[in-house]
Amino acid sequence: MCGIVGYIGQKSAQDIVLEGLHSLEYRGYDSAGMAGIMDGQMHVVKEAGKLTALEEALKSQPLETNMAIGHTRWATHGRPERANAHPHQSADGRIALVHNGIIENYEELRDRYLQGETFTSNTDSEVVAHVIAHFYQGDLLEAVRRTLKEVRGSYALAIISADEPDTMVICRMNSPLVLGVGGNEMLVASGVPALLKYTRECIYLENGDLAKLTTSGYDIVDLDGNPCQREMVHIDWEDQSAEKEGYDHYMMKEIHEQPETFRRVMTGRLHEDAVTFKEFTLTDEQIQNWHHIDIVACGTAYHSGLVGKSILEETLQLPVNVEVASEFRYRNPRLDDHSLVILISQSGETADTLEALREAKKRGATTIAITNVVGSAISREADQVLYLWAGPEISVASTKAYTAMLIALYLLAFYLGDRVGHFNLADHKDLLEALAKLPDQAESLLTEAKKEEIRQHSQALIDADHLFYIGRGSDWAVAQEGALKIKEISYIHAEAYAAGELKHGTLALVTDGTPFVAIALQEKTFEKTLSNVNEVVARKGRVLCLLKEGHDKISDDLDKRIFIPDCLDMVAPILAAIPLQLLAYYTAEARGCDIDQPRNLAKSVTVE
């Protein structure tokens, strides 16, 4: 997630904005910049790299102004370099903005309104600055409002104009933005930590809100220009918890960021009757040339590949092999120019996955990288790249990156299958609709009542020495990720088994009170999984079952259930991840474990 900070008041805007950007450094970034107005002219200073580079540049080009906007960028569109850093300006330089999010129809806007204009970056954000200038007729708020009526996508924006040096306009849609209200000063930020030194009176803007800020106050309107009233909230967080935005741990914060992450990964890609990847250069001939697919990854990313396997096999009608990257290149894989290798890595720097990528390319395979980090080694070396747009993930235990990987694999499978006619999306609009519903359904799993329900279930696991997760088909893949999560952060020994394999040895381990988590979300295997649950219950094992709403009865003897919203079987693994993450979190919390930095583990594994 990029960092936005803005200030308008009586003090030095440069100092306050820099301080605010430093408070948001925990989010991660690859470039930084600031814009302010001096003597009627817009001045922009920006640099690739860390904030120290921007601070050095500001020593020779100080912004001596009482209004400024600043930004730390996590690249999503365009490589991490100075030209793509924010703020971006209109062609005449009079308007500058900072932007978090993704503009889905930036090419359409450019072609409709900006024919012949010169652009200095490769970003979607710069197009918005140019379109605002196109509509500008002396009223910045109105120009922004007219622009946003044309925009599709997600955004948090702060905009200033040299023609209105006492005004800042801010707005949001599916990207967070907080307004801080002080005495004769107004602040804006993408995260509360940037505001707390100056005010604790805040307004959380809602989707579609636009606000005009001056030193004397603010006015909020909707996209039609109608005035809006928003509640003022007093923030009483302690400084050390501010970066976590009130949560006790980054992991919980990142679990809560999943609905927004779902929207981001689908923005510009998921449509009512199609999936598109504008960045891909694959030809139909290339896709039709593939005879088989390998998915290569490590850890959580590997588990996402296990779910992706069945989806890709259905949509492309090709055999799919999923393998851990640390084993892949040592088995002399049979690859050639008829092979597709999909490599999944949150960081894009995972050493084993990177070496697998190089081995695949050496043997002539087409490679597609699924990663979260623009400019990472894997993204640079792969033939095609599908970015997650999940924003930085700080907790070692992956949450939002995992579910973003799942959605990315679904989108990729639908896209490739539709391209070659094996999976006509016009006949599967129900699947596209199911994906579009996921953000709202994910939010329903994150209510305080739902979290408390799961926390109560976790109490039965606190003293466990061993824990089994079971499921069939894609539910087994979900079980493997659930088991990894709980052993990562609670240090309980957990294993995942294909439910049908219990009778082939594992039932010997079931004694009175042995805990199980059963995943039973797939209709075609539901009754078989039910029979396996009954086998465990008959041996006095304790079973907590993850079900879809409507499956109230799985066993007469079972009263431990967690329900996810009713959904199509194919997308159930995405929603299933959230309660399993929460179950692991609350178990680890009760055991007093270091949740964000579990022992012996690192976020990115950069050695083989």
Side-chain angles (χ1 to χ4, degrees):
M1 182 68 65
C2 308
I4 285 177
V5 180
Y7 174 83
I8 179 170
Q10 310 299 322
K11 303 183 181 77
S12 167
Q14 174 180 302
D15 295 343
I16 293 171
V17 171
L18 267 177
E19 190 173 49
L21 292 175
H22 274 298
S23 73
L24 299 178
E25 281 190 287
Y26 69 93
R27 293 167 173 254
Y29 63 99
D30 50 58
S31 60
M34 193 183 304
I37 301 162
M38 297 188 297
D39 301 323
Q41 299 297 317
M42 186 70 69
H43 292 261
V44 173
V45 181
K46 55 186 182 179
E47 296 291 336
K50 296 301 181 183
L51 277 168
T52 51
L54 175 63
E55 288 172 315
E56 284 299 312
L58 286 168
K59 288 179 181 178
S60 59
Q61 308 170 65
L63 295 179
E64 298 174 349
T65 177
N66 301 123
M67 181 176 73
I69 53 176
H71 192 266
T72 50
R73 178 177 187 253
W74 173 274
T76 58
H77 193 117
R79 296 179 64 81
E81 55 195 20
R82 186 179 182 279
N84 291 328
H86 294 221
H88 288 291
Q89 293 174 265
S90 56
D92 61 8
R94 303 292 289 173
I95 292 172
L97 61 76
V98 291
H99 169 225
N100 290 351
I102 298 161
I103 304 302
E104 179 178 337
N105 61 332
Y106 76 97
E107 290 179 327
E108 177 185 325
L109 294 173
R110 186 183 59 201
D111 294 342
R112 183 185 306 167
Y113 296 114
L114 309 174
Q115 290 288 341
E117 289 199 10
T118 300
F119 295 86
T120 61
S121 77
N122 302 118
T123 69
D124 52 345
S125 307
E126 186 184 2
V127 171
V128 178
H130 285 236
V131 176
I132 293 171
H134 171 83
F135 285 122
Y136 186 73
Q137 295 179 343
D139 186 336
L140 183 59
L141 179 65
E142 178 61 16
V144 173
R145 190 190 69 81
R146 290 187 62 185
T147 297
L148 296 182
K149 295 283 281 187
E150 305 286 330
V151 163
R152 296 196 308 273
S154 63
Y155 54 78
L157 289 159
I159 309 110
I160 57 177
S161 169
D163 294 317
E164 297 182 47
D166 300 318
T167 298
M168 182 185 302
V169 174
I170 62 174
C171 48
R172 69 151 286 181
M173 179 67 74
N174 294 328
S175 273
L177 202 61
V178 186
L179 171 60
V181 181
N184 295 318
E185 60 185 2
M186 307 295 294
L187 299 96
V188 62
S190 51
V192 167
L195 308 177
L196 293 184
K197 182 176 179 180
Y198 298 95
T199 182
R200 289 179 178 266
E201 305 305 317
C202 297
I203 295 171
Y204 291 91
L205 294 187
E206 298 182 10
N207 279 346
D209 283 355
L210 297 87
K212 178 179 179 178
L213 314 183
T214 65
T215 56
S216 59
Y218 64 91
D219 293 297
I220 302 175
V221 300
D222 63 21
L223 287 173
D224 293 320
N226 301 310
C228 300
Q229 297 295 321
R230 299 292 179 232
E231 180 185 3
M232 187 87 72
V233 178
H234 179 78
I235 306 295
D236 57 5
W237 301 343
E238 296 296 328
D239 288 344
Q240 68 182 106
S241 69
E243 290 182 354
K244 302 182 182 77
E245 298 185 6
Y247 298 104
D248 291 335
H249 300 92
Y250 285 113
M251 182 179 178
M252 182 59 82
K253 174 177 176 285
E254 289 159 5
I255 288 172
H256 272 267
E257 288 174 346
Q258 286 176 110
E260 180 190 345
T261 299
F262 291 4
R263 294 184 180 102
R264 288 170 65 87
V265 73
M266 291 188 283
T267 294
R269 294 164 172 169
L270 179 66
H271 310 282
E272 287 187 4
D273 58 357
V275 173
T276 60
F277 289 103
K278 295 178 181 177
E279 62 269 41
F280 279 11
T281 58
L282 290 166
T283 66
D284 291 348
E285 183 180 2
Q286 277 180 286
I287 301 171
Q288 290 166 340
N289 189 48
W290 298 331
H291 290 174
H292 68 98
I293 300 171
D294 285 287
I295 300 176
V296 184
C298 301
T300 285
Y302 167 75
H303 295 152
S304 75
L306 293 176
V307 177
K309 168 185 166 69
S310 61
I311 312 299
L312 283 159
E313 286 183 335
E314 181 169 346
T315 60
L316 280 173
Q317 299 176 24
L318 292 175
V320 178
N321 171 59
V322 186
E323 191 153 1
V324 290
S326 57
E327 296 291 328
F328 182 72
R329 67 193 178 102
Y330 295 107
R331 67 166 174 82
N332 191 24
R334 296 295 184 261
L335 302 175
D336 55 27
D337 59 2
H338 295 290
S339 308
L340 169 65
V341 179
I342 300 171
L343 305 112
I344 312 173
S345 167
Q346 187 281 140
S347 68
E349 302 289 346
T350 309
D352 288 310
T353 309
L354 180 58
E355 290 304 319
L357 165 64
R358 290 168 176 164
E359 186 69 21
K361 288 179 68 70
K362 187 193 311 180
R363 294 170 182 257
T366 300
T367 55
I368 297 177
I370 297 177
T371 185
N372 198 31
V373 182
V374 176
S376 59
I378 288 172
S379 73
R380 293 196 307 270
E381 296 188 30
D383 298 318
Q384 312 287 330
V385 185
L386 197 169
Y387 288 115
L388 299 176
W389 297 335
E393 190 177 63
I394 296 170
S395 179
V396 167
S398 180
T399 53
K400 64 177 181 175
Y402 168 70
T403 47
M405 289 169 187
L406 292 180
I407 293 175
L409 283 163
Y410 282 56
L411 293 173
L412 179 63
F414 295 163
Y415 169 79
L416 294 175
D418 192 49
R419 279 280 301 269
V420 296
H422 293 317
F423 194 79
N424 190 335
L425 284 177
D427 299 328
H428 294 279
K429 288 186 179 180
D430 58 332
L431 289 174
L432 301 182
E433 291 171 359
L435 285 177
K437 290 178 183 177
L438 287 175
D440 290 339
Q441 291 180 316
E443 287 175 348
S444 74
L445 289 167
L446 293 168
T447 64
E448 291 305 313
K450 191 69 175 182
K451 289 191 297 180
E452 176 59 23
E453 173 196 336
I454 296 170
R455 191 191 69 79
Q456 291 292 337
H457 286 307
S458 74
Q459 303 309 295
L461 305 178
I462 294 170
D463 297 323
D465 294 318
H466 307 281
L467 175 58
F468 298 98
Y469 286 69
I470 60 173
R472 288 172 177 258
S474 60
D475 287 345
W476 180 30
V478 171
Q480 291 179 69
E481 175 60 13
L484 175 61
K485 278 293 152 287
I486 206 160
K487 59 189 169 189
E488 274 182 312
I489 61 172
S490 77
Y491 313 146
I492 295 173
H493 171 240
E495 295 293 338
Y497 288 92
E501 291 297 294
L502 288 180
K503 60 179 68 70
H504 296 286
T506 308
L507 279 177
L509 299 174
V510 181
T511 58
D512 192 354
T514 301
F516 277 74
V517 177
I519 320 298
L521 303 171
Q522 303 297 310
E523 293 295 336
K524 63 184 176 183
T525 57
F526 181 81
E527 291 190 357
K528 294 294 185 184
T529 303
L530 171 61
S531 68
N532 300 133
V533 168
N534 286 329
E535 288 171 343
V536 172
V537 171
R539 290 158 179 81
K540 299 184 179 181
R542 293 185 288 115
V543 182
L544 171 61
C545 207
L546 186 61
L547 306 164
K548 286 193 293 191
E549 290 172 351
H551 272 152
D552 294 337
K553 186 175 180 180
I554 189 168
S555 169
D556 291 336
D557 301 314
L558 183 70
D559 60 0
K560 302 295 185 183
R561 303 174 177 87
I562 298 174
F563 293 100
I564 66 169
D566 189 28
C567 60
L568 296 182
D569 284 7
M570 188 177 280
V571 303
I574 301 171
L575 292 175
I578 295 175
L580 294 179
Q581 293 164 358
L582 290 168
L583 186 68
Y585 175 89
Y586 287 122
T587 303
E589 183 182 50
R591 287 167 64 92
C593 300
D594 189 341
I595 290 175
D596 285 332
Q597 295 181 313
R599 67 189 182 205
N600 304 330
L601 300 179
K603 182 63 179 173
S604 179
V605 181
T606 56
V607 294
E608 293 184 77

